[in-house]
Amino acid sequence: MDIEIECRKCRKLVTKNSILREHVRPRFLDPKNPGGWVSVCKECSQLEAEHQYLEYKTFAISKNKEPYKNFLESIYELNAMINIRLPDKKLSLTMARILYATAITAMETYLSDTFINRVVNNGDHLRRCVETDLEFRNRKLELTDIFKRKETLKEEVQEYLAGVLFHNLAKVRLMYRTVLSIEFPADMTPLFKAVKTRHDIVHRGGKDKSGAITSIDQDKVKSLIITLKAFVKAIEEQLSNTAAGSSFESTQDL
Ligand SMILES: [Zn+2]
């Protein structure tokens, strides 16, 4: 019979070949194990890795106190790079595709960090987010846990939002409208198209579903940058015209 070993996290007994020896942060360890090596089952290992990634992402977002300034810096760099002359046309097109995708990422970072930091630093926004996002409707709460849950509510929301793909503009538009009362432009077609092109570049090697190569050149990158700058600027203007303007007002008792 297979030797069974206890997973140090969930305490389940699993066979020796289902156990992993991992070096982890000693969160669920007793202080007697300063080396941080533990035996955990594969499921716990996977969950912990996902959790640590989200935790890292949440931390990085919380450190981005000036998303607009950082967005403009990225755009400035992209504008500088698009004008660099490369030795041949093929390289120029490759560079254009990279810069195109990077510009979308800059927008995505702006949207994510602006939204998340406002939600977790403002009690009203946090409440609106929890009360309107369908995700939270499906989460169970037992009355016995109500106080504990409230204490960690902000972290729970933060972790969920860190996992949202902020280039999903249809979803993000709804979130901005419902939670922050910010409207995206009425015609989102150029932005939706740009996100699709970015998807083809990042996930399909620059080809669309039919196998046709996306024709992104320097001019398309420049025009994308203009669109993104106008889009983000319009959001910033609305934010500074509403009570949502001060993004880092302290969170009073929620
Ligand atoms: Zn386990």
Side-chain angles (χ1 to χ4, degrees):
M1 205 184 118
D2 281 336
I3 305 165
E4 292 202 314
I5 295 173
E6 187 189 59
C7 165
R8 281 293 293 275
K9 199 172 181 189
C10 70
R11 305 284 167 195
K12 206 166 57 191
L13 284 173
V14 291
T15 56
K16 207 177 169 191
N17 56 10
S18 305
I19 208 95
L20 300 168
R21 285 282 290 164
E22 287 205 332
H23 190 256
V24 290
R25 287 172 323 148
R27 167 186 294 167
F28 53 87
L29 304 177
D30 53 295
K32 287 177 217 143
N33 187 356
W37 285 98
V38 284
S39 302
V40 287
C41 72
K42 284 177 183 168
E43 282 143 31
C44 285
S45 165
Q46 174 77 23
L47 285 174
E48 183 64 16
E50 281 170 18
H51 182 76
Q52 284 190 25
Y53 168 67
L54 280 179
E55 205 170 47
Y56 160 73
K57 210 173 155 190
T58 303
F59 174 76
I61 291 167
S62 73
K63 289 286 159 200
N64 187 4
K65 305 267 186 217
E66 295 179 281
Y68 188 48
K69 184 169 166 261
N70 289 326
F71 168 78
L72 290 178
E73 273 172 19
S74 302
I75 292 297
Y76 171 81
E77 288 164 9
L78 291 170
N79 263 324
M81 289 178 80
I82 201 70
N83 290 317
I84 294 173
R85 287 181 78 92
L86 290 165
D88 66 60
K89 178 110 182 84
K90 196 163 175 272
L91 280 178
S92 299
L93 292 177
T94 303
M95 177 64 117
R97 286 200 295 273
I98 292 168
L99 296 179
Y100 194 96
T102 309
I104 299 285
T105 303
M107 172 199 70
E108 188 177 346
T109 306
Y110 168 83
L111 290 174
S112 126
D113 297 7
T114 299
F115 186 86
I116 296 174
N117 285 328
R118 270 158 212 272
V119 166
V120 298
N121 287 295
N122 178 301
D124 293 336
H125 295 148
L126 182 69
R127 182 170 180 163
R128 233 180 293 165
C129 182
V130 172
E131 288 181 346
T132 58
D133 198 303
L134 289 175
E135 166 69 24
F136 299 112
R137 195 167 293 180
N138 299 324
R139 296 198 181 182
K140 296 276 172 288
L141 169 68
E142 306 218 353
L143 203 56
T144 37
D145 295 333
I146 196 163
F147 293 104
K148 223 198 273 172
R149 195 69 174 274
K150 204 173 158 192
E151 279 168 21
T152 56
L153 180 65
K154 202 157 96 172
E155 285 73 30
E156 188 174 342
V157 173
Q158 210 167 12
E159 200 168 294
Y160 157 64
L161 291 175
V164 168
L165 295 174
F166 273 80
H167 59 248
N168 180 351
L169 291 176
K171 179 182 168 86
V172 172
R173 169 156 71 171
L174 193 63
M175 289 164 69
Y176 264 76
R177 178 186 292 150
T178 318
V179 178
L180 301 181
S181 309
I182 300 293
E183 286 297 331
F184 283 10
D187 182 13
M188 292 284 289
T189 318
L191 286 160
F192 286 139
K193 272 192 184 159
V195 168
K196 190 197 157 288
T197 302
R198 173 225 165 252
H199 181 274
D200 291 341
I201 293 170
V202 174
H203 301 289
R204 308 182 58 85
K207 290 179 184 161
D208 69 14
K209 273 186 197 156
S210 66
I213 196 113
T214 52
S215 55
I216 297 302
D217 57 14
Q218 265 68 7
D219 287 342
K220 289 213 171 134
V221 178
K222 284 180 191 167
S223 125
L224 172 70
I225 286 175
I226 292 168
T227 308
L228 295 180
K229 267 174 87 175
F231 170 55
V232 169
K233 187 165 176 251
I235 295 175
E236 272 299 304
E237 280 170 359
Q238 291 180 67
L239 287 171
S240 55
N241 288 336
T242 62
S246 51
S247 55
F248 292 97
E249 59 202 87
S250 66
T251 314
Q252 298 304 325
D253 288 338
L254 301 172

